[in-house]
Amino acid sequence: MSQRKPETVDLAIGITFAIIGVVCFSLRPVLIKLAYAYVVDPVTLLALRMIFSVPFFVAVLLWTARSRLPAITGRDLAAMTVLGLLTYYAASFLDFLGLQYISAGLGRLLQFIYPTVVVILSALFLGKRATRREVMALGLTYFGLVLVFWHALGGEALNVWLGAALIFTSATCYAAYLVAGSAVISRVGSVRFTAYAMIVASIACVAQFFALRPVSALELPIPVYGYALAMAIFSTVIPGFLVAEALRRIGANRVAIIGALGPVTAIVIGYLGLGELMTPLQFVGAACVLIGVLIVSVRAKAAVPKPV
């Protein structure tokens, strides 16, 4: 009994952290859409998000520097820089761009397919052949996407296709980072990696802002700063570390299953908060996507952080 109680507590805490983290991540596209109501461009909004987020990650990085963790090698430092730019800068920026043209719920659904892209990239570049189960899951996932975007197949909704392409590319960037970076994450730890990569990405986002926008672009309505701050705290910092801790406590398989709440939560919040609607055919397609991704995800063995 004394051995089971700590395991039960660990499981309960891990599941709670994962659920809170997934729900918080799902708020991000909704907050982005709310900010876009004030005609804020993605460059400025992403820079604000990173400016508000980076102090927390600097604090965490300084805290980890005082702990007895293995020293980071120059090779790992270079790898974390490249991977941070690939995911937390490139993937985030493409996501922000795509949400100009697509609903929050559908955007989160497209981001959620990254495990299937990992399977494809691993087969193409690492020689890891997909199993029959994975091939069936891929077919189900992308059939579901066809149903979700069926209304745009006639070519009348080019903006929808543009938004979908941008967010799909964002998911592909994140999948590429997982394929290339799992070894680095296992060496330096997910918390330390997330903190360092986010700092690098923050520098890139702020530099991009000053290169493309005048300082006067920061003269924005107060609600925009509120949404950016909420995005930084509740959809970046808090869920990033909660999910990392959940991965440590309950493993990637359970976190992957709980992760299915993400697109569903975004769709519900989008419906309640933004008035976004989905057709019955899109709901069927979304269900196919969720099932297909879960079939792939629960087979994964590597514990990796979720996209922020």
Side-chain angles (χ1 to χ4, degrees):
M1 292 294 290
S2 60
Q3 292 181 346
R4 291 183 180 179
K5 283 184 179 180
E7 293 178 0
T8 303
V9 172
D10 235 25
L11 180 64
I13 293 174
I15 291 173
T16 301
F17 282 179
I19 291 174
I20 296 173
V22 167
V23 172
C24 285
F25 275 138
S26 301
L27 292 174
R28 186 188 64 187
V30 176
L31 291 169
I32 293 172
K33 297 292 282 189
L34 288 171
Y36 280 162
Y38 294 87
V39 198
V40 179
D41 68 283
V43 173
T44 303
L45 188 58
L46 182 58
L48 285 177
R49 175 207 181 193
M50 294 306 199
I51 289 171
F52 287 135
S53 300
V54 75
F56 297 95
F57 291 107
V58 170
V60 170
L61 194 62
L62 292 175
W63 176 74
T64 59
R66 298 176 60 185
S67 59
R68 296 180 179 178
L69 295 172
I72 298 176
T73 66
R75 181 180 176 184
D76 284 340
L77 199 64
M80 287 193 293
T81 299
V82 173
L83 293 171
L85 292 174
L86 178 65
T87 180
Y88 300 128
Y89 168 65
S92 292
F93 185 51
L94 289 167
D95 187 35
F96 274 63
L97 286 174
L99 285 169
Q100 293 179 108
Y101 309 107
I102 200 172
S103 71
L106 295 185
R108 188 62 180 166
L109 185 68
L110 277 170
Q111 274 283 1
F112 186 65
I113 68 170
Y114 71 88
T116 69
V117 184
V118 169
V119 172
I120 296 171
L121 294 178
S122 296
L124 291 175
F125 298 104
L126 301 181
K128 295 182 179 179
R129 295 183 59 183
T131 65
R132 182 179 300 179
R133 174 192 177 103
E134 289 172 336
V135 171
M136 292 176 61
L138 291 175
L140 181 62
T141 299
Y142 291 99
F143 172 73
L145 289 178
V146 170
L147 295 183
V148 167
F149 294 100
W150 184 263
H151 67 289
L153 290 178
E156 298 178 358
L158 294 179
N159 283 346
V160 174
W161 280 114
L162 176 58
L166 288 167
I167 295 180
F168 182 82
T169 306
S170 170
T172 301
C173 286
Y174 185 71
Y177 137 76
L178 291 181
V179 172
S182 57
V184 180
I185 295 170
S186 65
R187 286 196 298 269
V188 304
S190 61
V191 171
R192 190 161 52 162
F193 176 90
T194 300
Y196 183 86
M198 280 296 300
I199 292 170
V200 170
S202 297
I203 294 171
C205 291
V206 174
Q208 175 182 257
F209 170 79
F210 284 111
L212 300 177
R213 300 288 186 270
V215 178
S216 60
L218 292 175
E219 297 175 1
L220 300 166
I222 295 298
V224 175
Y225 285 95
Y227 291 135
L229 180 60
M231 200 185 311
I233 296 175
F234 299 108
S235 294
T236 305
V237 177
I238 291 176
F241 291 118
L242 284 179
V243 171
E245 180 62 16
L247 285 166
R248 187 185 71 81
R249 289 175 180 267
I250 65 176
N253 288 2
R254 287 185 175 126
V255 172
I257 295 172
I258 295 170
L261 290 172
V264 176
T265 303
I267 289 170
V268 171
I269 295 174
Y271 171 77
L272 296 176
L274 301 175
E276 296 179 349
L277 299 175
M278 288 185 68
T279 66
L281 185 64
Q282 287 178 311
F283 274 112
V284 173
C288 291
V289 172
L290 294 175
I291 294 170
V293 171
L294 285 176
I295 291 174
V296 171
S297 298
V298 297
R299 302 286 292 180
K301 296 181 180 180
V304 294
K306 290 287 184 180
V308 297

